[in-house]
């Protein structure tokens, strides 16, 4: 929408624009919610680091006057490897594949032996038929068994064998060279990566609400879910009974739903997961070992969440009073067809936070918030690219362009900066006949 507005103001494009937003506010999965008690939770982890997409950086920098620059401190719980230790002593630096020096001696030696045997034989991901094949040829059997398989099957909710390997480059770090690791250990520290988070705003969602003020108000129709699209007649039908004619559609509706709405691809065989978000507001004191943490991954199947984010560490406006309160955000994956009891999930999350040493006493809890995201992750299954290529061709023949996290269904380019840039590039393709580079990764 921003790109269209630029081109219209410049006189390069002459067109009418209508934005149909199903929700009552803008932001989508990059929204933030503040509870009645004053705790703010993002819908997942939405931080910004370095990005090669300069227009994205320019737009968010114009919307945010002041940023917090936060050292990225990410760990993984390997409690199943250290059964006799306290939970906080089982947290090792992420990525785990670069932290095998923290393992017990016999496990470390086994991992090192396997990685050495793989050596230069590491296969490019493009030659692997599925993620399991990639994992074994990249990390070896022991590391795959201890972390890669359990964590990825937990977050994706499917087996490694049904996951493709097309998405892994830039998403799944390969083990660092041994000599590099040894040098790092001798120096006693790792290089520090920093991410940014708005300093004065109550969540990332507020940033996008500022961005949208740059658009003409009359473009945007909130509370306007689309129920049907008729490609032959070029008509969009809304849930309120109204309909609109169109020439071109750019859609961020999940592409499986879009296929059904248009009847162009009613039986798309794609998989996605649900994510349940559980936010917990707590009275201080905060456990000391969590004060510098960004988030922690949990591969154990008996622990309900796959990630816990210490969101109140990001800025001091995400709780009612930073001197008195702190907060965590748990993310929990489910199959797309799972029936979810949110109260039961919340209780299990609290129980596991206590068992993992994140919460000391249940009495310190002052707020509980839960939200189910029907679409959490677009799963990169083995046959994903073939399905998407066929479906996108069917849609684009009718000038319907499906983009964004679930519009493109490409997890590897599904972050905020990717989705933002996809939108700009598809506008330039439609109106200026320029090539797309982000969406075209499939």
């Amino acid at each position: 929408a921003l790109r269209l507005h630029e081109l219209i103001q410049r006189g390069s494009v002459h067109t009418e624009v209508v934005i149909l937003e199903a929700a009552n506010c803008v932001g989508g999965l990059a929204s933030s919610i503040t509870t009645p008690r004053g705790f703010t939770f993002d819908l997942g982890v939405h931080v910004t680091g370095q990005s090669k997409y300069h227009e994205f950086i320019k737009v968010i920098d114009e919307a945010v006057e002041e940023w917090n620059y936060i050292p990225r401190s990410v760990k993984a719980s390997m409690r199943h490897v250290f059964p006799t230790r306290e939970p906080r002593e089982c947290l090792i630096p992420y990525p785990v594949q670069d932290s095998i020096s923290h393992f017990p001696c016999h496990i470390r030696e086994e991992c090192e032996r396997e990685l050495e045997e793989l050596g230069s034989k590491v296969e490019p991901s493009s030659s692997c038929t599925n993620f399991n094949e990639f994992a074994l040829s990249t990390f070896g059997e022991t590391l795959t068994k201890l972390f890669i398989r359990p964590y990825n099957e937990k977050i994706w909710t499917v087996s490694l064998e049904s996951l493709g390997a097309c998405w892994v480059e830039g998403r799944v770090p390969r083990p660092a060279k041994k000599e590099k690791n040894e040098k790092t250990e001798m120096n006693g520290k790792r290089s520090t990566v920093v991410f940014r988070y708005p300093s004065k705003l109550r969540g990332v969602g507020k940033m996008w609400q500022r961005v949208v003020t740059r658009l003409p108000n009359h473009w945007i129709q909130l509370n306007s879910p689309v129920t049907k699209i008729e490609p032959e007649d070029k008509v969009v039908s809304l849930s309120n009974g109204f309909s609109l004619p169109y020439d071109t559609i750019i859609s961020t509706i999940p592409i499986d739903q879009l296929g059904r709405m248009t009847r162009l691809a009613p039986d798309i065989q794609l998989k996605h997961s649900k994510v349940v978000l559980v936010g917990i507001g707590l009275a201080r004191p905060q456990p000391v070992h969590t004060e510098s943490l960004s988030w922690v991954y949990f591969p154990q199947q008996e622990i309900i969440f796959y990630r816990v984010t210490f969101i109140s560490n990001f800025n001091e406006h995400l709780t009612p009073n930073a001197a008195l309160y702190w907060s965590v955000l748990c993310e929990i994956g489910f199959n797309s067809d799972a029936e979810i009891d949110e109260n039961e999930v919340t209780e299990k999350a609290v129980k596991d936070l206590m068992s993992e040493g994140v919460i000391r006493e249940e009495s310190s809890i002052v707020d509980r918030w839960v939200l189910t995201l029907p679409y959490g992750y677009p799963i990169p299954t083995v046959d994903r690219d073939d399905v998407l290529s066929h479906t996108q061709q069917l849609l684009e023949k009718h000038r319907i362009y499906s983009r964004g996290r679930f519009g493109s269904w490409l997890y590897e380019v599904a972050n905020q900066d990717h989705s933002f840039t996809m939108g700009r590039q598809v506008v330039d393709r439609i109106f200026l006949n320029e090539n797309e580079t982000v969406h075209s990764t499939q």
Side-chain angles (χ1 to χ4, degrees):
L2 288 172
R3 181 59 174 157
L4 269 171
H5 190 44
E6 289 171 10
L7 294 175
I8 290 169
Q9 285 190 314
R10 191 186 300 169
S12 304
V13 169
H14 303 278
T15 188
E16 294 181 32
V17 180
V18 177
I19 301 171
L20 301 174
E21 169 58 59
N24 61 5
C25 63
V26 301
L29 288 175
S31 300
S32 306
I33 293 178
T34 299
T35 70
R37 295 190 176 180
F39 290 87
T40 298
F41 299 101
D42 293 335
L43 305 190
V45 178
H46 294 297
V47 299
T48 63
Q50 293 182 337
S51 176
K52 65 181 180 181
Y53 302 112
H54 302 300
E55 287 297 329
F56 169 79
I57 295 297
K58 177 184 174 185
V59 165
I60 65 173
D61 279 348
E62 288 172 353
V64 177
E65 297 96 349
E66 190 176 335
W67 294 91
N68 286 343
Y69 290 81
I70 303 165
R72 187 180 187 275
S73 176
V74 177
K75 300 204 173 176
S77 169
M78 298 300 288
R79 198 173 178 186
H80 53 298
V81 173
F82 307 103
T84 62
R85 290 189 183 180
E86 289 292 313
R88 68 174 180 270
E89 296 173 347
C90 301
L91 302 179
I92 70 172
Y94 182 85
V96 171
Q97 48 267 43
D98 289 342
S99 297
I100 58 178
S101 61
H102 294 262
F103 288 174
C105 183
H106 67 288
I107 298 177
R108 181 180 72 243
E109 289 175 354
E110 188 70 12
C111 290
E112 288 176 346
R113 181 186 63 77
E114 291 173 6
L115 288 172
E116 192 170 336
E117 286 177 359
L118 289 171
S120 59
K121 295 187 294 184
V122 174
E123 304 261 344
S125 59
S126 58
S127 68
C128 299
T129 57
N130 58 44
F131 187 67
N132 181 61
E133 191 176 303
F134 167 80
L136 291 174
S137 66
T138 305
F139 307 109
E141 289 188 15
T142 303
L143 197 50
T144 296
K145 177 183 176 182
L146 289 176
F147 183 79
I148 303 298
R149 177 178 286 277
Y151 179 74
N152 281 281
E153 291 189 344
K154 189 175 182 181
I155 188 172
W156 291 114
T157 72
V158 297
S159 70
L160 294 197
E161 287 77 10
S162 62
L163 281 172
C166 54
W167 59 279
V168 301
E169 299 300 339
R171 286 287 188 173
V172 181
R174 294 177 183 266
K177 299 286 186 183
K178 187 176 180 182
E179 57 269 22
K180 182 180 177 182
N181 269 342
E182 287 175 349
K183 186 175 181 181
T184 301
E185 288 167 18
M186 287 172 62
N187 291 338
K189 61 181 180 180
R190 293 171 180 247
S191 58
T192 300
V193 177
V194 173
F195 65 81
R196 301 194 303 170
Y197 194 87
S199 178
K200 306 295 185 184
L201 301 183
R202 301 194 80 173
V204 163
K206 293 294 185 185
M207 176 179 79
W208 293 112
Q209 289 176 13
R210 287 187 174 187
V211 170
V212 82
T213 61
R214 295 172 54 178
L215 298 172
N217 284 333
H218 68 273
W219 280 16
I220 304 166
Q221 296 185 21
L222 301 177
N223 300 303
S224 300
V226 172
T227 56
K228 185 168 69 171
I229 299 170
E230 299 173 68
E232 299 299 335
D233 297 329
K234 290 191 175 293
V235 173
V236 174
S237 299
L238 306 181
S239 61
N240 60 11
F242 287 96
S243 60
L244 294 169
Y246 74 87
D247 176 61
T248 302
I249 290 175
I250 300 171
S251 170
T252 63
I253 296 169
I255 195 171
D256 58 340
Q257 291 185 26
L258 185 63
R260 291 191 289 271
M261 283 182 189
T262 59
R263 299 181 186 174
L264 293 172
D267 300 308
I268 300 175
Q269 298 302 308
L270 292 170
K271 289 188 175 182
H272 69 280
S273 68
K274 289 180 181 175
V275 170
V276 178
L277 303 171
V278 176
I280 305 294
L282 298 135
R284 291 191 178 277
Q286 178 177 352
V288 174
H289 76 282
T290 71
E291 289 180 350
S292 62
L293 288 175
S294 305
W295 55 86
V296 175
Y297 297 114
F298 292 86
Q300 300 85 355
Q301 294 305 304
E302 65 273 18
I303 301 298
I304 194 170
F305 36 73
Y306 59 81
R307 175 164 60 179
V308 171
T309 299
F310 299 87
I311 191 165
S312 59
N313 290 349
F314 294 175
N315 87 23
E316 61 182 18
H317 299 282
L318 302 179
T319 68
N321 184 328
L324 301 176
Y325 303 105
W326 64 291
S327 58
V328 296
L329 177 64
C330 307
E331 294 167 86
I332 302 145
F334 289 93
N335 291 323
S336 60
D337 56 355
E339 293 186 10
I340 295 167
D341 183 326
E342 291 184 342
N343 290 329
E344 189 177 292
V345 170
T346 302
E347 289 305 314
K348 180 66 164 79
V350 169
K351 179 182 176 183
D352 289 348
L353 286 169
M354 292 179 67
S355 72
E356 293 304 304
V358 177
I359 297 176
R360 289 184 179 138
E361 299 176 2
E362 194 166 358
S363 61
S364 65
I365 297 174
V366 297
D367 200 5
R368 303 181 188 211
W369 169 83
V370 61
L371 179 70
T372 298
L373 303 176
Y375 283 77
Y377 284 86
I379 301 176
T381 48
V382 171
D383 60 347
R384 179 201 69 176
D385 286 1
D386 290 339
V387 173
L388 285 174
S389 178
H390 176 68
T391 306
Q392 293 283 10
Q393 287 177 36
L394 290 174
L395 293 167
E396 291 184 12
K397 282 180 182 177
H398 295 272
R399 295 188 65 81
I400 300 171
Y401 299 86
S402 186
R403 299 294 185 269
R405 182 176 177 89
F406 282 99
S408 283
W409 212 275
L410 298 169
Y411 169 72
E412 59 271 33
V413 285
N415 287 352
Q416 292 180 102
D417 57 346
H418 297 125
S419 298
F420 177 91
T421 306
M422 252 185 227
R424 294 185 65 86
Q425 290 187 350
V426 75
V427 166
D428 286 350
R429 174 184 165 190
I430 293 166
F431 291 98
L432 305 179
N433 201 30
E434 295 185 3
N435 292 329
E436 295 179 81
T437 60
V438 180
H439 173 74
S440 65
T441 54
Q442 65 174 301

